[in-house]
């Protein structure tokens, strides 16, 4: 893997020599939504089923990258995919960092998670039918909870799939599901914990710490990243994917009861 240029946006090391890089990429978001859906309560599963577009065939993973596909049609949504923290600061503060390029507050991925959580809380109420598009709110929220857990771009996920899972994303999902219910079972309960309906500030703080501790540590601009980088960072990527899936499910369960 070649690191062509550093780009600090959204806490991610982006491989800018690749034509398009969307954070976790399609597979990363697909994994997170696939990990989440089996963990939904009956009430949450029913609500998600009702809100998903018919073409999704009740598969949240199939539309988990919808927000990336519409960002150039919904231009206003572009800043909602990331948080731009100050250079050389390994910390996150909502008031300082959650704003867009014009300085408008709350226009970042953490603010978007709060907004779409609030919209989805109106599900089942008569007023929500005309006030919000709850299908889009569900798709945005599911994607943004993935975004806020990303630390690297999609390259590490794709490399892991090819090297360890015969290029089969379903095998990677099965492996992560197994770890969540076995070796990570105690941690998974802690990941679900949140004193509100959604806790994006916690997830963002974790993300910037992981970026400083793992993504950027020991890496120089324009350096070539060898196997030791990939192998040492892969467990962190797996952990963040698992956390994203568990927390997406927990958030939807709190929203829908």
């Amino acid at each position: 893997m070649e690191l062509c240029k550093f780009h600090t946006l959204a806490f991610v090391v982006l491989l800018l020599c690749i034509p398009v890089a969307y954070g976790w990429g399609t597979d990363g978001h697909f994994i997170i939504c696939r990990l989440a859906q089996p963990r939904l309560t009956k009430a949450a599963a029913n609500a998600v089923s009702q809100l998903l577009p018919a073409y999704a065939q009740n598969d949240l993973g199939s539309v988990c990258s919808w927000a990336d596909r519409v960002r150039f049609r919904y231009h206003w949504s572009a800043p909602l995919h990331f948080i731009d923290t100050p250079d050389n600061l390994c910390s996150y503060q909502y008031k300082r960092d959650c704003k867009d390029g014009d300085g408008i507050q709350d226009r970042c991925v953490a603010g978007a998670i709060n907004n779409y959580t609030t919209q989805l809380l109106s599900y089942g109420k008569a007023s929500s039918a005309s006030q919000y598009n709850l299908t889009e709110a569900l798709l945005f929220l599911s994607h943004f909870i993935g975004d806020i857990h990303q630390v690297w771009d999609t390259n590490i996920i794709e490399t892991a799939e090819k090297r360890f899972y015969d290029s089969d994303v379903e095998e990677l999902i099965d492996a992560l599901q197994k770890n969540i219910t076995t070796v990570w079972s105690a941690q998974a309960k802690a990941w679900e914990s949140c004193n509100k309906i959604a806790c994006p500030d916690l997830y963002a703080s974790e993300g910037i710490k992981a970026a400083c501790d793992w993504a950027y540590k020991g890496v120089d601009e324009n350096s070539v990243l060898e196997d030791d980088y990939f192998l040492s960072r892969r467990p962190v990527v797996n952990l963040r994917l698992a956390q994203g899936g568990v927390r997406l499910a927990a958030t939807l369960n709190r929203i829908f009861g």
Side-chain angles (χ1 to χ4, degrees):
M1 296 181 292
E2 181 181 0
L3 181 60
C4 300
K5 183 179 179 183
F6 254 78
H7 190 65
T8 57
L9 217 58
F11 324 141
V12 186
V13 178
L14 293 178
L15 304 183
L16 297 184
C17 54
I18 296 174
V20 179
Y22 284 134
W24 276 136
T26 301
D27 280 5
H29 286 288
F30 180 76
I31 290 166
I32 286 172
C33 282
R34 276 292 186 87
L35 292 174
Q37 197 162 7
R39 300 180 65 87
L40 297 178
T41 62
K42 184 176 180 180
N46 288 339
V48 167
S49 179
Q50 290 294 316
L51 291 174
L52 282 174
Y55 65 81
Q57 298 184 325
N58 199 32
D59 180 4
L60 183 59
S62 70
V63 288
C64 213
S65 291
W66 173 86
D68 274 337
R69 294 196 294 270
V70 301
R71 66 189 297 175
F72 298 108
R73 176 158 56 93
Y74 292 173
H75 295 286
W76 51 266
S77 72
L80 306 183
H81 290 257
F82 59 86
I83 298 170
D84 195 2
T85 60
D87 291 344
N88 304 316
L89 283 184
C90 290
S91 66
Y92 158 77
Q93 297 175 16
Y94 184 92
K95 187 174 181 179
R96 181 193 69 196
D97 302 328
C98 191
K99 53 191 174 184
D100 64 15
D102 295 323
I104 300 175
Q105 196 71 33
D106 304 320
R107 293 206 11 100
C108 77
V109 67
I113 289 172
N114 289 331
N115 175 41
Y116 289 112
T117 295
T118 298
Q119 290 189 26
L120 287 169
L121 284 169
S122 70
Y123 175 76
K125 299 177 182 177
S127 60
S128 68
S130 58
Q131 190 173 6
Y132 302 121
N133 183 328
L134 295 186
T135 292
E136 291 193 353
L138 172 65
L139 302 189
F140 273 127
L141 179 65
S142 300
H143 183 89
F144 291 147
I145 287 184
D147 276 346
I148 208 167
H149 282 84
Q150 69 188 41
V151 182
W152 285 269
D153 80 321
T154 186
N155 190 264
I156 288 184
I157 297 172
E158 291 178 349
T159 302
E161 288 173 7
K162 291 176 183 177
R163 188 175 296 188
F164 300 107
Y165 302 102
D166 197 26
S167 297
D168 187 350
V169 66
E170 297 288 355
E171 289 191 14
L172 175 53
I173 292 169
D174 289 344
L176 292 173
Q177 289 280 29
K178 182 177 180 180
N179 282 346
I180 289 170
T181 57
T182 55
V183 295
W184 292 334
S185 60
Q187 295 176 65
K189 292 180 181 178
W191 298 340
E192 292 176 323
S193 179
C194 175
N195 59 5
K196 300 182 290 183
I197 302 297
C199 287
D201 291 340
L202 169 64
Y203 313 152
S205 295
E206 289 176 350
I208 188 61
K209 185 177 187 305
C212 291
D213 290 350
W214 292 99
Y216 300 120
K217 190 174 183 180
V219 178
D220 297 319
E221 187 172 356
N222 298 318
S223 62
V224 176
L225 303 181
E226 304 290 350
D227 254 14
D228 59 346
Y229 182 93
F230 164 71
L231 293 171
S232 62
R233 272 61 173 183
R234 177 176 163 245
V236 183
V237 172
N238 286 344
L239 191 72
R240 292 301 281 173
L241 289 169
Q243 288 175 329
V246 169
R247 286 165 168 169
L248 172 56
T251 302
L252 294 174
N253 288 339
R254 286 189 289 266
I255 289 171
F256 298 119

